[in-house]
Amino acid sequence: MVLSDDGTTVETVRFTGDGCTLSQAGASLLSEQMVGVSVSEIVEWDSEYIEEHVGMDLTPPRLQCAELILTAFRQAIEDGPTNPSS
């Protein structure tokens, strides 16, 4: 993930991972939705937002799969910037 110079907006998102189809599809769909959006808005996305953008009602276990990218995003924001050269 690359943020704007002031750290408030997502400029690009990439992910790699293994998992169920829903976790991979959710990561793909939601990462596309993140570009150009403020960090503060993304951290507020909830299960309603996810279900709306995935296009189906999800049971709690399947919702966990779909929201893995948000969990990772929130963790990355909490951990702060990293230096790729180290």
Side-chain angles (χ1 to χ4, degrees):
M1 161 178 62
V2 175
L3 300 179
S4 60
D5 290 338
D6 63 3
T8 62
T9 305
V10 174
E11 290 188 352
T12 61
V13 177
R14 293 185 316 186
F15 74 94
T16 60
D18 295 317
C20 68
T21 303
L22 187 55
S23 70
Q24 298 301 292
S28 179
L29 290 168
L30 294 174
S31 64
E32 289 176 10
Q33 295 295 317
M34 290 176 177
V35 175
V37 178
S38 71
V39 170
S40 60
E41 182 179 334
I42 294 169
V43 297
E44 297 299 320
W45 288 356
D46 59 9
S47 57
E48 253 182 60
Y49 183 91
I50 293 168
E51 287 180 332
E52 178 183 327
H53 286 83
V54 171
M56 65 178 75
D57 292 330
L58 300 171
T59 61
R62 293 184 55 87
L63 182 58
Q64 282 184 313
C65 294
E67 55 185 11
L68 282 174
I69 190 160
L70 290 180
T71 302
F73 180 86
R74 290 176 181 134
Q75 187 65 54
I77 295 301
E78 185 177 304
D79 290 348
T82 59
N83 183 348
S85 62
S86 53

